[in-house]
Amino acid sequence: MLARLKPQKYGTTAALLLVCAGFAALSPDSFATLTNLVNITQQMALLAIVAFGATFVMVLGEFDLSVAAAAATLLASAVFAAASGVLVAVFAVPSFIATLAGGTIIGGMTFWASGGATLFGHAPPAFRALARGGVAGVPVLTLWMLAGFAATAGVLAETEFGRRLYAIGGNREAARLAGVPVRRDMVVAFVLSGVLSAGAGVLLAARLGSAQPTGGGGFLLSSYAAVFLGMTAFREGEPNAAGTLVGAAIIAALANGLTILDVPSFVQDMATGAIILAAVLVRRLSRQG
């Protein structure tokens, strides 16, 4: 039985347990508390939502580098994401180039509209309530994250559309020959990524009570790190919602623990970079195993 277990398949879950156990030992009175656990779920919520969007695109074997520069409204983000999807699916533009260009355009438009300044306003209580407060002790942001997880997991695991996305990611030409509407499904996947990242942007603005042109910049690398980490959990070698959630939890727990230990922020950035490299190496090991 033990011989059948592949360490790389369960490496993500084991890493989360090790991170939590390490910080619990170093700071039991601060890290290992129910209050801090709730804080971690709230801190990881926006990252996880962006990462769920990235998961749809990663299932295709593509990237969406515009997630950190999503427009303010869901509709505008859907339009820009659809344009990126068309460039990739119809005109065969590499997703790295198409989404990087799209993200740059969106970022420029955001600076133009805001004058490059942080926008403060009298946000209505109903808008701020989207990301503040809680229900039965559970933060609203945590509930949004769980809703995003349920939706992503349901689409990818329980629908024909989700199965088609995995088929496209496995072998695009074979999927096309089997009758899968490859171009349409790819565009839809990019739209879902854009809408989820825009939703995270709306929640961020609601939580802060302000909007910053560069407010989402920190989510890009971290979201893909979460997806890469998740590819070794629950569904070996493939992006999946549960794995992405665990990957986001690792990144959030690491940031939370390092903050509690008063570690400088630049060290946290270094740790995130190391996580990305480790995730890529683990994925390669899983393919070779």
Side-chain angles (χ1 to χ4, degrees), residues 56-67:
F56 282 104
V57 177
M58 283 291 293
V59 167
L60 300 172
E62 303 288 354
F63 292 90
D64 184 356
L65 302 185
S66 66
V67 295

Side-chain angles (χ1 to χ4, degrees), residues 2 16 18 22 32 41 54 57 84 94 104 107 117 123 151 158 162 165 238 280 287:
L2 293 177
L16 176 60
L18 287 174
T41 65
V57 177
S84 295
T104 303
E158 304 297 336
L165 291 186
E238 293 180 325
V280 173
R287 286 181 169 180

